[in-house]
């Protein structure tokens, strides 16, 4: 009798093997390492280590420095996400209305996408350089006693500005394609039904863009949490006094600058849990409202 | 209740396409006007200018006494039904129908009452709380209609609203639209490329060709008395039979076929003779010999297709002829029959200008 079943060929496993290996090497293995490390206390030379249970967590998480960094991360992520989405949406809606020279306009808006975060950081660094920075001079000339090396608000301003600038182009591309996915006749029907442009935006365009917006919120929060590392490292380096150090940046400085591998690991485990929770919340609660 | 007036209306798109050329038209209160023409002739553009979705390059639009060129679409008090319905996908049927009313500030009770009333008229009251993606094509079409009538506009605008429906539903909705328009008495402009839809719906019909009105009038006028070759060939189904012809002062000739009985035609000019399928009849003494290729039985009548011996069409090829017969007359394929034509109904056009001569 013939069995109507696929024989167990090893070939499918072969095809997914690279993906599995990548996940194991670059995610599962380091994650396991981090969890293991977070329970160890090493001596300063890394020669011996001791299993200390949750001591690392207690010593690093419940400190003022960590709470301050967590606070900054939340404010920073919110500002970067909100500002870059709002700005990108405005630009995309306007770009979508442009008829002549549309392609040039769109290409120019997309350019910043091609810039790596550390490079964006370096450019920002030059612009805010107290000796040669144009923006530094400009802000001071405007009457703002601006010095991001000393003032933590000013330093925050710099990193938010650069992080937003870098991210606007990505969001712009997505919003533009989202807008182009809205049938033209639907917006035309709305023009006949609603006189006010602004009202039409909030009742028609904005809800129809919601799936794109939701997707971008997830992407942007992840960006603000992790990818802004390069920007912070090349501009403020967490200064002044750790006031612009995001949680990810703090993991790096504590671990590699401060040589506290156990504490750094404990922080990264906490960070991992936070991101996991955030993602679950986003998909559970927000996405449900987005679908129509 | 409104009159619509178009005065020397022109539209040139930014890319240079001259889509509408000097259109003049006066539409009476409560009239049902149909724009008909081949794809790309500019009928949608003209309609969209009345709706305010396209700017008017030149000329004036009036609804009643008001010049509306620069009035925003929402303030023109028109309602439009789109080909793809253009329902708001994130709103329920109720939301779709009340959106326009809400924006112009009607009270809640008023809106609810109007929506229910319109929904009843269109038999969609059971779907009021559904999203558009939970409706069939025909139901969506009704919702789009409902969204238009609920506003009680001065003018209805339809842009090929039935093209996405299947044949049976299309006929059904066509009748319903006509009845609804009669009942409400709202001035309407309806765009279609389908001549049957145009003939059956219109009080008056505007045949548009290349951005211009070829002819405007009652459907039967355009059928019986077309002013141009274009109108004659566009109106009527099956199409009018057209053969190339020359007049030598005494007799009209197409190819080797001689057709007598015509007078006062220009000599030495290429002509086109048009004979509608129902104006030909089987006649043993007839002078036209037709070789039958195909017989289509439509029930009430039979359409017979074949070639007319000797005659040439406009491109100089053998003429394919269509003939409409009663159901009891059914010639067989391969047979040769002789025909005579109804002389008074024959149409003659100048080939060069396309103008009607007789
Ligand atoms: N937005 C536009 N930009 C440029 N040309 C257009 C535009 N819309 C239509 N046209 C041109 O105008 C002409 C008339 O178009 P349209 O009014 O849509 O024709 P119809 O509805 O009769 O098929 C066509 O030649 C078309 O290519
Ligand atoms: Mg069209």
């Amino acid at each position: 009798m013939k069995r109507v079943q696929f024989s167990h060929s090893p070939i499918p496993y072969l095809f997914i093997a690279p993906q599995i290996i990548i996940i194991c090497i670059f995610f599962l293995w380091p994650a396991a390492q981090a969890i293991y490390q977070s329970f160890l206390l090493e001596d300063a030379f890394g020669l011996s280590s001791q299993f200390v249970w949750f001591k690392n967590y207690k010593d690093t998480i419940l400190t003022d420095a960590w709470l301050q960094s967590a606070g900054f991360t939340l404010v920073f992520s919110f500002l970067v996400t909100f500002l870059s989405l709002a700005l990108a949406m405005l630009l995309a809606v306007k770009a979508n209305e442009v008829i002549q020279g549309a392609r040039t306009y769109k290409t120019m808006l997309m350019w910043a996408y091609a810039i790596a975060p550390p490079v964006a950081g370096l450019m920002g660094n030059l612009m805010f350089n107290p000796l040669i920075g144009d923006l530094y001079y400009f802000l001071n000339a405007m009457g703002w006693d601006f010095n991001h090396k000393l003032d933590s608000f000013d330093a925050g301003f710099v990193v938010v500005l650069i992080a937003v600038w870098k991210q606007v182009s990505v969001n712009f591309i997505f919003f533009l394609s989202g807008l182009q996915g809205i049938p033209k006749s639907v917006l035309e029907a709305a023009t006949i039904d609603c006189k006010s442009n602004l009202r039409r935006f909030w009742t028609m365009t904005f809800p129809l863009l919601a799936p794109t917006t939701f997707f971008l919120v997830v992407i942007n929060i992840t960006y603000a949490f992790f990818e802004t590392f390069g920007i912070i490292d090349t501009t403020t380096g967490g200064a002044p006094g750790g006031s612009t150090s995001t949680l990810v940046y703090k993991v790096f400085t504590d671990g590699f600058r401060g040589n506290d591998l156990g504490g750094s690991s404990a922080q990264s485990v906490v960070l991992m849990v936070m991101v996991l929770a955030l993602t679950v919340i986003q998909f559970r609660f927000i996405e449900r409202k987005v679908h129509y | 209740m409104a009159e619509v007036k178009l005065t020397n209306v022109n539209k040139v798109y930014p890319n240079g396409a001259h889509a509408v050329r000097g259109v003049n038209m006066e539409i009476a209160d409560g009239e049902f006007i149909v724009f008909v023409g081949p794809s790309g002739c500019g009928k949608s553009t003209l309609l969209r200018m009345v709706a305010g979705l396209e700017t008017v390059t030149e000329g004036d639009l009036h609804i009643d006494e008001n010049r509306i060129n620069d009035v925003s679409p929402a303030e023109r008090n028109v309602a439009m039904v789109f080909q793809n319905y253009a329902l708001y996908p994130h709103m329920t049927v109720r939301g779709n129908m009340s959106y326009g009313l809400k924006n112009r500030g009607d009270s809640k009770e008023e809106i609810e009452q109007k929506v229910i009333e319109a929904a009843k008229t269109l038999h969609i009251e059971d779907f009021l709380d559904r999203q558009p993606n939970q409706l069939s094509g025909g139901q969506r079409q009704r919702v789009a209609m409902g969204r238009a009538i609920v506003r009680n506009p001065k003018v209805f605008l339809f842009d090929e609203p039935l093209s996405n429906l299947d044949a049976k539903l299309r006929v059904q909705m066509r009748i319903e639209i006509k009845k609804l328009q009669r009942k409400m008495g709202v001035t309407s402009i309806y765009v279609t490329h389908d001549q049957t839809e145009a003939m059956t719906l219109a009080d008056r019909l505007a045949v548009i060709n290349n951005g211009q009105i070829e002819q405007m009038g009652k459907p039967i006028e355009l059928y019986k008395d077309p002013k141009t070759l274009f109108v004659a060939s566009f109106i009527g189904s099956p199409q009018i039979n057209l053969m190339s012809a020359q007049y030598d002062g005494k007799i009209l000739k197409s190819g080797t076929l001689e057709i007598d009985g015509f007078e006062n035609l220009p000599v030495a000019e290429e002509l086109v003779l048009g004979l509608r399928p129902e104006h030909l009849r089987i006649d043993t003494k007839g002078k036209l010999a037709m070789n039958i290729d195909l017989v289509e039985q439509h029930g009430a009548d039979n359409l017979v297709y074949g070639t007319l011996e000797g005659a040439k069409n406009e491109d100089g090829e053998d003429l394919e002829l269509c003939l409409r017969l009663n159901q009891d007359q059914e010639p067989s394929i391969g047979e040769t029959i002789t025909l005579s034509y109804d002389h008074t109904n024959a149409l003659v056009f100048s080939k060069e200008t396309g103008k009607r001569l007789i």
Side-chain angles (χ1 to χ4, degrees), chain B residues 13-15 17 19 38-46 54 159-160 191:
Chain B
Y13 279 106
N15 68 358
S39 173
C41 70
K43 46 195 194 304
S44 291
T45 305
L46 198 52
E54 301 286 354
D159 193 352
E160 313 218 10
V191 162

Side-chain angles (χ1 to χ4, degrees), chain A residues 99-100 183-195 199-200 203-204 207-208 292, chain B residues 48 53 72-75 78 80 82 84 86-91 99-100 103 133 147 151:
Chain A
I99 299 165
Q100 250 144 34
K184 213 174 129 229
S185 57
V186 168
L187 296 180
E188 286 174 346
T191 325
I192 295 177
D193 270 348
C194 178
K195 189 186 157 205
R199 195 180 161 87
R200 217 160 52 230
T203 52
M204 208 48 65
L208 290 176
Y292 48 73
Chain B
R48 290 163 56 82
L53 301 174
S72 79
E75 290 170 307
V78 300
M80 183 152 168
F82 293 79
N84 61 2
L87 299 180
Y88 309 132
H90 59 303
M91 295 181 185
Y99 182 68
N103 289 323
N133 62 9
R147 192 170 67 182
R151 301 187 50 192

Side-chain angles (χ1 to χ4, degrees), chain B residues 56-206:
Chain B
V56 180
T57 312
E58 199 194 313
D60 295 313
L61 293 175
H62 286 87
I63 293 184
D64 291 333
E65 301 308 308
N66 310 316
R67 184 175 181 274
I68 54 159
N69 285 41
D70 305 313
V71 177
S72 79
E75 290 170 307
R76 293 185 182 197
N77 205 357
V78 300
M80 183 152 168
V81 180
F82 293 79
Q83 177 172 359
N84 61 2
Y85 317 136
L87 299 180
Y88 309 132
H90 59 303
M91 295 181 185
T92 59
V93 169
R94 179 181 271 110
N96 266 277
M97 288 170 71
S98 45
Y99 182 68
L101 303 180
K102 220 184 276 174
N103 289 323
R104 72 181 186 198
D106 288 8
S107 77
K108 263 219 170 78
E109 300 76 46
E110 218 178 325
I111 293 176
E112 181 63 16
Q113 188 220 325
K114 283 180 186 169
V115 167
I116 297 281
E117 196 182 321
K120 277 201 181 125
T121 312
L122 287 158
H123 312 294
I124 49 172
E125 64 267 50
D126 293 342
F127 315 127
L128 280 177
D129 294 311
R130 290 217 204 149
Q131 306 280 134
N133 62 9
Q134 299 166 320
L135 300 175
S136 73
Q139 290 164 343
R140 284 179 207 189
Q141 217 288 327
R142 284 170 182 278
V143 175
M145 289 285 301
R147 192 170 67 182
I149 67 170
V150 79
R151 301 187 50 192
N152 196 17
K154 285 186 159 183
V155 185
F156 277 142
L157 305 171
F158 301 90
D159 193 352
E160 313 218 10
L162 306 181
S163 323
N164 288 358
L165 299 179
D166 62 64
K168 196 173 158 208
L169 213 49
R170 194 150 61 212
V171 174
Q172 194 183 327
M173 277 312 286
R174 186 174 86 201
I175 294 167
E176 221 166 306
I177 287 178
K178 180 82 177 174
K179 279 190 194 160
L180 202 61
Q181 194 269 346
R182 279 270 172 282
K183 203 177 85 186
M184 297 181 68
V186 176
T187 313
S188 303
I189 307 177
Y190 187 108
V191 162
T192 180
H193 64 264
D194 181 309
Q195 70 92 30
T196 315
E197 229 170 85
M199 293 285 283
T200 49
L201 281 171
D203 291 332
R204 277 194 304 151
L205 196 59

Side-chain angles (χ1 to χ4, degrees), chain A residues 167 170-171 174 214-224 227:
Chain A
Q167 190 64 3
V170 185
N171 296 342
F174 279 100
F214 168 72
F215 167 75
L216 286 178
V217 165
V218 177
I219 297 288
N220 278 261
I221 290 179
T222 317
Y223 164 80
E227 284 170 58

